[in-house]
Amino acid sequence: MGSGFASCCIFLSVLLLAFMLGQGRNVRRHHVEEGSTGLNYLRQASSSIDGDRIDPSGKIFFKMEDLKVGKTMAIYLTNKDPSTSPHLLSREEANSIPFSSAKIAQIIDFFRFSKDSHQAKAIEYTIKQCELEPLEDELRFCATSLESMLDYASSLLGKKAQLQVFTTTFVENPTVPFQNYTILAVPERIRSRKMVACHTLPYPYAVFYCHNTPKSESRLFKVLLGAENGDRVRALAACHMDTSRWDVDHVSFQLLKIKPGSSPVCHVFPPDNLVWVALPA
């Protein structure tokens, strides 16, 4: 199963090919969605909940006790079309475009969006998310270029550390985004001293919210999933062992019907997310 995962920094270009196609060209025309499958896991709360109904895109959470062969869970996974997905910019080009709440009007005008459009609202949302104060025991950074993401991961994991990057991959393109998946093989734990998770945010070009919680243990797993319609997914999943400092309204607590700190919370990473780890010395 491990051969299906990108596992070395040297293969980063393969992992990020979908984002980098067209890099540095026609930045004004890049597509942006109002929503994003890259959930801000430590901050996501009521935005995925409408009364007693939980948005299916938030159904990526499960309990650690469910991480076993034969367990079936309803999970939302979708594979974005690379041709319409935002691309990563070079550091030089990203730095040439404003990225701050003080210049939102200028940014919206730069991309030629109407100030009342869904795209404008998505831009404002992402910038404000990136400017929020970090949670207790959280180090965070919004990467607007490949170089800045690499620099951030290295700064947290170690300048001289051997880095690996992982993501969720489909054996073939999925046909149904929300369906029942069954764990087909014993989950394989990725042994690492540290990890930096990078989640996509909605923006005209690729922006990743990258974060690390150095004082809280998280465990990373490779999980082979089989869907009820025959789809197969080599999923990347994380289990956060201490949720006592999470927001009481976090969507995972609503979905799993647990309280902060009462149980580890696990989740599957969407395919457009990246997780960097430092291998054991």
Side-chain angles (χ1 to χ4, degrees):
M1 181 175 68
S3 61
F5 287 84
S7 61
C8 183
C9 186
I10 197 171
F11 297 118
L12 180 63
S13 59
V14 176
L15 278 176
L16 300 181
L17 181 61
F19 297 113
M20 298 182 68
L21 290 174
Q23 178 176 325
R25 295 174 294 178
N26 299 324
V27 66
R28 294 176 185 268
R29 299 181 183 180
H30 285 170
H31 179 66
V32 60
E33 299 178 356
E34 184 178 10
S36 174
T37 57
L39 296 176
N40 185 337
Y41 297 110
L42 297 183
R43 296 181 185 277
Q44 181 75 12
S46 59
S47 59
S48 290
I49 304 173
D50 179 11
D52 293 329
R53 184 183 68 85
I54 297 180
D55 187 328
S57 65
K59 292 188 176 181
I60 57 173
F61 298 96
F62 57 94
K63 296 179 181 179
M64 194 166 184
E65 62 198 54
D66 296 327
L67 198 60
K68 59 185 178 182
V69 176
K71 178 64 179 183
T72 299
M73 300 174 284
I75 300 175
Y76 184 94
L77 287 172
T78 183
N79 202 16
K80 291 184 178 180
D81 182 355
S83 66
T84 61
S85 296
H87 306 308
L88 269 169
L89 301 184
S90 67
R91 190 200 304 271
E92 181 180 4
E93 186 168 16
N95 288 346
S96 72
I97 305 171
F99 192 83
S100 73
S101 56
K103 296 186 176 181
I104 284 179
Q106 181 180 341
I107 297 168
I108 293 171
D109 181 66
F110 175 85
F111 290 110
R112 300 175 183 172
F113 294 137
S114 166
K115 65 179 181 180
D116 297 320
S117 65
H118 291 314
Q119 291 91 341
K121 293 177 181 177
I123 286 174
E124 183 174 6
Y125 165 82
T126 288
I127 290 177
K128 288 186 175 180
Q129 288 294 307
C130 289
E131 292 180 344
L132 287 173
E133 290 295 320
L135 298 174
E136 182 182 355
D137 185 33
E138 181 191 26
L139 302 174
R140 62 194 309 275
F141 173 73
C142 280
T144 58
S145 68
L146 174 60
E147 295 96 327
S148 64
M149 179 164 47
L150 283 167
D151 286 350
Y152 183 71
S154 294
S155 70
L156 294 184
L157 300 176
K159 295 291 185 180
K160 297 182 179 181
Q162 183 179 354
L163 303 184
Q164 288 187 313
V165 60
F166 295 90
T167 188
T168 290
T169 59
F170 287 90
V171 176
E172 56 187 38
N173 290 333
T175 55
V176 180
F178 182 52
Q179 57 182 317
N180 288 324
Y181 285 91
T182 300
I183 297 177
L184 301 179
V186 176
E188 178 185 348
R189 184 175 176 183
I190 300 171
R191 299 289 176 178
S192 62
R193 296 179 288 105
K194 302 176 183 177
M195 60 177 278
V196 175
C198 294
H199 315 293
T200 54
L201 289 173
Y203 211 69
Y205 54 86
V207 173
F208 285 83
Y209 158 74
C210 299
H211 69 125
N212 170 268
T213 51
K215 296 180 181 179
S216 299
E217 181 187 3
S218 295
R219 300 179 185 178
L220 200 59
F221 297 89
K222 301 174 186 178
V223 186
L224 181 61
L225 299 174
E228 55 189 329
N229 72 341
D231 289 344
R232 292 290 184 273
V233 182
R234 296 184 178 98
L236 185 65
C239 291
H240 303 285
M241 308 307 292
D242 180 8
T243 62
S244 59
R245 288 185 288 270
W246 290 21
D247 191 317
V248 67
D249 292 324
H250 192 285
V251 65
S252 64
F253 301 141
Q254 305 289 330
L255 181 65
L256 303 177
K257 302 186 185 305
I258 60 176
K259 296 181 179 180
S262 64
S263 171
V265 168
C266 304
H267 62 78
V268 174
F269 285 95
D272 56 2
N273 288 199
L274 303 172
V275 179
W276 297 86
V277 302
L279 294 183

